[in-house]
Amino acid sequence: MNNLISIIVPCYNEEAAIPYFYDAITQQSELMREKFGVEFEYLFINDGSRDKTLDILKKYAELDLRVKYISFSRNFGKEAAMYAGLKNAEGSYVAIMDVDLQDPPHMLTEMYESIVNDGYDCVSTRRTTRKGEPPIRSFFARCFYKLINKISKTEIVDGARDYRLMTRKMVDAILDMGEYNRFSKGIFGWVGFNTKWLEYENMERVAGETKWSFWKLFLYSLDGIMAFSTAPLAIASIIGFLFCIIAFIMIFVIIAKTLILGDPVAGYPSLVCIIFLVAGVQTFCIGILGQYLSKTYLETKKRPIYIIKESNKGEKD
Ligand code: UDP
Ligand code: MG
């Protein structure tokens, strides 16, 4: 155990936000150093930015020994950046924060107190509002959380942010999950531990733009469902079973009608509809199988989750 708190900060094209973040976090660090006697390291992960993010990080690293940076060879995504951060953090306590100040630094004080005094392993945050977000996005987000909590055993909290402070034990548990398809919101829930939830209202970004388009979020939510539930795989069996029953009933009805009424069966249009329907359902189900298969394929390749190009920190494996 040391008295170091590591702050992991994923950055992707964030040249505008970093100075604001640095000022805010250093202020908070000073407060906590005086109050609790803790030290800090800021571990910035440059996730293949194409702007001046890396230059700015290098400048800060020269001025302040607490600033560490890891720079990826390309954009690997926020999940990979968080994983790299967790792997390279040295503190007994580790926090994950966005650089855009949507995660208020002053909450770190309360988080630290809850862990040290009340015996929690992790203090997480969730936003109670989705202010400043397009309504359609909020609607789909809510549907997603309802759905995934129905079909997955792992609890995935609606509105949960990645902003959290964790103990070393929990970080090590997360690192043991070396899967390639990382969906952190599920991983944090899956590892368990005592988690306290703090709530706050959504804040607007301090500078720069969000990196998530609707389409990106949609794909990410599919990743989440597939990483933490196998329920979609059962859809094929359920629908197949239902169709068998319906088919049996229809056969029975047709035979009865022909025998009793001598009714010739009128056919072509209804047949075409049925063929289309069954073909559609089958292709859909094969598609679901394909999705799981492709994820399994990627996992078996055991590709690295990220590749470091440069860093001012000795890399740990
Ligand atoms: N981010 C990243 N890699 C990416 C996308 C985002 O490291 O491919 C970082 C980004 O720099 C920011 C954090 O993840 O610090 C959250 O991103 P953003 O603010 O765009 O997401 P939002 O808050 O809108 O959900
Ligand atoms: Mg943000």
Side-chain angles (χ1 to χ4, degrees), residues 26 104 112 124 133 139 141 147 184 211 238 266-267 275 279 295:
T26 41
Y112 182 78
S124 309
E133 203 182 61
F139 171 75
L147 175 72
S184 285
K211 310 296 177 300
I238 295 168
I275 290 174
K295 300 281 170 204

Side-chain angles (χ1 to χ4, degrees), residues 146-306:
K146 274 207 191 105
L147 175 72
I148 195 163
N149 279 310
K150 277 228 167 71
I151 62 178
S152 166
K153 286 199 196 88
T154 308
E155 198 200 354
I156 291 160
V157 179
D158 185 2
R161 304 273 309 167
D162 293 323
Y163 182 27
R164 57 183 58 222
L165 183 69
M166 297 173 277
T167 58
R168 174 53 43 193
K169 266 210 180 103
M170 178 153 171
V171 173
D172 288 343
I174 292 169
L175 288 175
D176 278 342
M177 298 181 69
E179 56 209 78
Y180 183 77
N181 293 293
R182 300 191 76 77
F183 182 71
S184 285
K185 289 184 172 53
I187 292 176
F188 292 142
W190 194 91
V191 295
F193 292 100
N194 278 344
T195 301
K196 178 175 178 179
W197 289 92
L198 302 180
E199 301 194 339
Y200 70 101
E201 295 212 342
N202 193 25
M203 306 234 198
E204 304 266 349
R205 228 174 198 283
V206 62
E209 276 172 8
T210 178
K211 310 296 177 300
W212 293 89
S213 63
F214 186 79
W215 181 240
K216 248 179 147 179
L217 277 175
F218 177 70
L219 293 179
Y220 182 59
S221 67
L222 288 189
D223 276 351
I225 290 176
M226 274 181 276
F228 282 91
S229 166
T230 47
L233 285 174
I235 289 179
S237 329
I238 295 168
I239 297 183
F241 183 67
L242 281 178
F243 270 55
C244 283
I245 291 180
I246 294 172
F248 276 126
I249 294 173
M250 286 195 321
I251 290 170
F252 182 75
V253 170
I254 290 171
I255 292 177
K257 255 174 111 180
T258 319
L259 285 181
I260 298 166
L261 304 172
D263 193 21
V265 185
Y268 187 67
S270 55
L271 212 60
V272 169
C273 292
I274 292 171
I275 290 174
F276 263 69
L277 181 68
V278 175
V281 170
Q282 275 181 350
T283 331
F284 176 68
C285 293
I286 294 173
I288 294 175
L289 284 179
Q291 289 292 322
Y292 278 91
L293 190 65
S294 70
K295 300 281 170 204
T296 319
Y297 175 60
L298 284 176
E299 293 289 350
T300 53
K301 283 191 182 183
K302 297 233 176 304
R303 283 185 182 162
I305 294 169
Y306 59 88

Side-chain angles (χ1 to χ4, degrees), residues 301-313:
K301 283 191 182 183
K302 297 233 176 304
R303 283 185 182 162
I305 294 169
Y306 59 88
I307 294 169
I308 296 179
K309 189 173 162 200
E310 56 179 302
S311 168
N312 68 343
K313 197 170 169 66

